[in-house]
């Protein structure tokens, strides 16, 4: 698998349901960030979680990080139609400044 | 809330022409980045810039690309002789405090179309 690979690739849910997206990576990281991208638009930062953290919350968002499994998950609770977007994880590797983005999960929330 | 801005939002150019993409990072940030996203593909790192020099660059960032911070506010990406495959969305990002763990904030992007 590639560094920063999300699954599922696409997810369709009803408004009010929870959405869970997963990200896996291969090498040691400094931190992991989740971004949202509406179609053809810019990247909106959601949450940064550092390698020594296990869980973070921000509003309806909950991110977990399991460094032993090299994986992270993003949970959006009580989803809304406005949450429809692509969601990307980006990992910062030890010793570098760059972030490597995953392929993204396309979330569609049906009203 | 401070944000990264980019101009133009859309640039159309002929193959072989030079283009300069402009970015104004968040004012107290120290690290600056360019990424690109070819339509339908993942976001790819191009270059990072700190203390007026390139910190790191990817294999995409060849001799046709250059970056510059010409003054205290702007950060530019120049493509000397554009190719069709340079068509993409180009994102500028910045982060502060000089720590690798800092959040990178992205601008809205410049869509470059090479004809």
């Amino acid at each position: 698998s590639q560094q920063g690979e999300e699954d599922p690739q696409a997810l369709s849910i009803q408004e009010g349901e929870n959405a869970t997206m997963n990200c896996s990576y291969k090498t040691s990281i400094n931190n992991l960030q989740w971004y949202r991208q509406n179609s053809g638009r810019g990247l909106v930062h959601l949450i940064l979680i550092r390698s020594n953290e296990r869980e973070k919350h921000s509003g309806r968002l909950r991110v977990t990080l399991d460094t032993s499994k090299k994986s992270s998950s993003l949970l959006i609770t009580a989803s809304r139609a406005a949450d429809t977007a692509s969601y990307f994880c980006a990992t910062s590797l030890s010793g570098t400044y760059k972030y490597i983005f995953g392929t993204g999960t396309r979330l569609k929330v049906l009203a | 809330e401070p944000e990264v801005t980019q101009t133009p939002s859309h640039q159309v150019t002929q193959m072989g022409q030079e283009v300069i993409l402009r970015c104004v990072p968040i004012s107290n940030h120290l690290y600056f980045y360019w990424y690109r996203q070819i339509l339908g593909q993942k976001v790819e790192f191009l270059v990072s810039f700190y203390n007026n020099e390139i910190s790191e660059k990817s294999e995409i960032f060849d001799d046709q690309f250059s970056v510059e911070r010409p003054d205290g506010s702007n950060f530019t990406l120049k493509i000397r002789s554009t190719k069709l495959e340079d068509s993409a969305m180009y994102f500028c990002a910045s982060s502060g405090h000089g720590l690798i763990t800092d959040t990178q904030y992205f601008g809205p992007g410049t869509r470059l179309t090479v004809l």
Side-chain angles (χ1 to χ4, degrees):
Chain A
S1 67
Q2 302 174 60
Q3 183 80 357
E5 194 170 281
E6 288 94 333
D7 82 271
Q9 290 186 342
L11 179 62
S12 187
I13 59 174
Q14 294 291 325
E15 204 167 30
E17 293 181 338
N18 296 341
T20 300
M21 289 157 268
N22 303 294
C23 169
S24 60
Y25 57 92
K26 293 170 70 176
T27 60
S28 295
I29 62 171
N30 285 321
N31 64 60
L32 185 148
Q33 303 190 71
W34 284 92
Y35 289 87
R36 184 184 75 228
Q37 184 180 38
N38 291 83
S39 180
R41 307 290 291 276
L43 294 155
V44 176
H45 176 260
L46 298 176
I47 288 186
L48 177 150
I49 186 164
R50 295 185 166 81
S51 58
N52 61 352
E53 297 175 316
R54 293 296 166 258
E55 187 171 311
K56 284 188 85 169
H57 296 255
S58 177
R60 293 183 296 112
L61 307 180
R62 173 177 168 253
V63 168
T64 62
L65 179 64
D66 187 334
T67 52
S68 67
K69 294 181 179 177
K70 293 186 169 59
S71 68
S72 173
S73 68
L74 169 67
L75 168 68
I76 303 174
T77 60
S79 63
R80 305 166 182 166
D83 295 328
T84 295
S86 290
Y87 291 82
F88 296 90
C89 69
T91 51
S92 166
L93 306 184
S94 299
T96 80
Y97 294 98
K98 66 183 181 184
Y99 277 86
I100 296 179
F101 280 75
T103 50
T105 293
R106 291 187 311 280
L107 173 67
K108 188 169 187 178
V109 182
L110 304 169
Chain B
E1 188 175 323
E3 57 184 19
V4 177
T5 59
Q6 290 184 242
T7 55
S9 57
H10 191 189
Q11 173 93 47
V12 181
T13 189
Q14 295 290 326
M15 190 169 57
Q17 294 295 304
E18 174 184 286
V19 294
I20 297 176
L21 309 182
R22 292 183 166 79
C23 168
V24 179
I26 294 173
S27 63
N28 63 348
H29 282 184
L30 301 174
Y31 285 84
F32 315 110
Y33 313 84
W34 284 100
Y35 291 78
R36 78 172 187 191
Q37 184 181 32
I38 295 171
L39 186 63
Q41 298 186 24
K42 62 166 87 175
V43 176
E44 300 173 291
F45 170 81
L46 293 178
V47 66
S48 61
F49 191 86
Y50 170 71
N51 200 26
N52 283 319
E53 60 182 28
I54 291 174
S55 309
E56 193 168 4
K57 59 183 180 179
S58 72
E59 55 277 5
I60 302 168
F61 194 88
D62 61 21
D63 292 344
Q64 292 300 309
F65 291 87
S66 62
V67 289
E68 193 178 32
R69 188 156 164 81
D71 53 43
S73 60
N74 290 284
F75 179 52
T76 62
L77 173 70
K78 182 193 290 186
I79 309 175
R80 288 189 182 82
S81 178
T82 50
K83 304 188 277 283
L84 295 176
E85 53 265 37
D86 293 327
S87 293
M89 186 77 112
Y90 287 80
F91 293 105
C92 172
S94 69
S95 65
H97 310 299
L99 294 176
I100 295 173
T101 54
D102 269 357
T103 299
Q104 289 188 12
Y105 293 93
F106 282 73
T110 292
R111 182 170 299 284
L112 176 65
T113 302
V114 182
L115 303 175

